[in-house]
Each structure stands twice: as C-alpha cells, then as structure tokens.
Amino acid sequence: MSKLIAEFIGIMLGDGNLGIYKSIVKGKIKKQHRIRISLDSRNERYTDYVSKLLEEIFDQKPKRYYKKKENAVDLGLFRKGHYFRVIEEFGLSNSPKWNRMEIPKRYFKEKFYPPILKGLFDTDGCLSLFNNNGVIYPRIEIKICPSPAQNQFIKIVKNLGFRFTVQDIGKEKIRIRISGMKELEKWFEIVGSSNPTHIEKYKRITQN
C-alpha cells in the first residue's frame, strides 16, 4: 500500500489538485473538500488504472467528469476524511503547486523514488524520439514548475543512476531530460510506467 500511495503522490504532483473550495449544493454555498486528478480523456485505459488506484487507497470509486470542449476527464473524491488523510497522513499540501510543490518528507526516501517518479512521468512526462545529426534517440522529458520539488526530482534521478540534463525553460520552470536507448531501458527496468501510451511507445521503440 505504501508504494501505491507513493505513486499516487507522484500523480498528484503531476496532474492533481487538492484543496477546500466553495460549491453550490441545492442553492446553498458549502465547503467542498476536493481531491482531483485531471487526465487525457483519450487515454481511457490509464484513466481506468488511476481510478482503480484511488479506489484501492481510499476504498471509494472516484467520480468522473468529462469536459465537453476539451480532451480531458477529471477524477474526483470529495469526502472530508479523504482530504484530511492526504494532508495529515500522506503529507501533501494544498494547491496551487507554483513555488509550493514538494514531495512529503515521509515519502522522500529511496524505496519510494521509483513509484513517485513513475506517477509524475505518467501524468506530466513524455517519451519521444529526436534526431541528433541523423541518429534517432529516444528521450524522456519531465517539466517541473518552480518549487522545492525541482531539486527533489533532480536528486531522485541522480540517485537512481540516470544520465540526464536539466534545461531552464523560462519562468523558473525546468525540464529534466533523459536521452538514449540505454537510459530508456534502464528507466523501464527501474521506474517503469503504468500508462499504456508510454508502455506501447517503449515497445515500439525497442522493437524497431
């Protein structure tokens, strides 16, 4: 369960939202304790995976909200107890993430590095190919907003033994890049992925 929670933390740091918001219920303004994860609605299999992950951790199936004008779907949990569990037990902080995002100290440990990194990669990372003077290389990229999490994730990829570069992409945001076939294979051996889109792309790259 602790590794599932670590992956959930990575997912929340990628595409999650946590907070107490005002909502109108039957004409009355009430407080809504919200755990929300926004995903690509076209990737139904990964949405199903995250939904099952939430159900495993919280013993409740999240609600789905599809956005009509966007390729997006929100998974939401709204129980007060779930919200305070994430804050008090897991150690996550309320949104927004800008200048505040941080891996909780109790989970910033070596045994949790792979699942946390996997959760972030599956939601806010990409796997692509680039041409370097006629030679095609695979590349993993993860963007991180200005926050204490930047140095934390740099430490994680360094600790796991990856060769990587860090690029300043403006507004204090950074991009962590891990390039090359050996590094890609190491990633899927150590970190892996729960996102079918990443897994299928990895298989195509290695087969070709």
Side-chain angles (χ1 to χ4, degrees):
M1 179 62 73
S2 59
K3 289 188 176 179
L4 291 180
I5 293 170
E7 185 174 354
F8 165 75
I9 287 170
I11 290 170
M12 287 296 292
L13 295 178
D15 280 340
N17 179 279
L18 182 66
I20 302 174
Y21 302 89
K22 291 181 180 179
S23 63
I24 299 175
V25 180
K26 296 180 179 180
K28 295 182 179 180
I29 298 175
K30 294 187 176 182
K31 287 183 178 180
Q32 184 183 79
H33 296 75
R34 186 170 70 192
I35 302 168
R36 187 184 69 192
I37 298 171
S38 300
L39 302 169
D40 188 333
S41 60
R42 295 168 295 184
N43 193 345
E44 193 73 23
R45 287 178 295 166
Y46 184 61
T47 300
D48 290 341
Y49 172 82
V50 176
S51 179
K52 289 176 183 177
L53 180 70
L54 293 174
E55 191 172 0
E56 181 75 18
I57 294 171
F58 297 100
D59 196 27
Q60 182 192 4
K61 190 173 183 178
K63 294 182 179 180
R64 295 193 188 195
Y65 301 91
Y66 289 90
K67 299 181 180 180
K68 294 181 180 179
K69 297 183 180 181
E70 303 174 44
N71 294 316
V73 56
D74 287 345
L75 297 179
L77 293 170
F78 304 98
R79 288 185 184 173
K80 189 176 180 180
H82 295 334
Y83 167 82
F84 281 107
R85 185 182 176 199
V86 173
I87 293 288
E88 296 171 1
E89 183 183 328
F90 300 173
L92 283 174
S93 299
N94 282 330
S95 301
K97 300 172 192 173
W98 202 269
N99 292 324
R100 300 171 62 184
M101 188 170 84
E102 187 173 11
I103 300 170
K105 290 181 180 179
R106 70 197 69 180
Y107 285 94
F108 191 50
K109 299 175 181 178
E110 288 187 21
K111 64 180 178 179
F112 298 128
Y113 286 174
I116 288 175
L117 193 55
K118 177 168 65 173
L120 181 69
F121 169 61
D122 282 344
T123 52
D124 223 17
C126 69
L127 170 58
S128 59
L129 295 172
F130 74 100
N131 190 323
N132 184 10
N133 296 321
V135 180
I136 305 299
Y137 284 92
R139 173 184 283 164
I140 287 171
E141 295 184 334
I142 300 173
K143 296 177 183 178
I144 306 173
C145 69
S147 62
Q150 289 185 344
N151 288 330
Q152 287 180 316
F153 279 108
I154 289 171
K155 182 177 180 179
I156 286 176
V157 294
K158 189 183 236 181
N159 182 276
L160 293 176
F162 290 106
R163 297 178 63 185
F164 66 96
T165 59
V166 179
Q167 181 184 19
D168 183 346
I169 56 175
K171 296 183 179 179
E172 300 183 64
K173 294 185 290 185
I174 64 168
R175 179 188 288 122
I176 295 176
R177 282 180 169 173
I178 298 173
S179 305
M181 185 61 73
K182 288 184 179 180
E183 298 303 304
L184 177 63
E185 290 175 341
K186 185 193 297 184
W187 179 281
F188 274 83
E189 180 182 344
I190 296 173
V191 178
S193 173
S194 300
N195 189 329
T197 299
H198 291 334
I199 294 169
E200 290 171 3
K201 190 174 289 187
Y202 167 70
K203 288 179 179 178
R204 288 197 301 269
I205 292 171
T206 53
Q207 286 170 359
N208 293 332

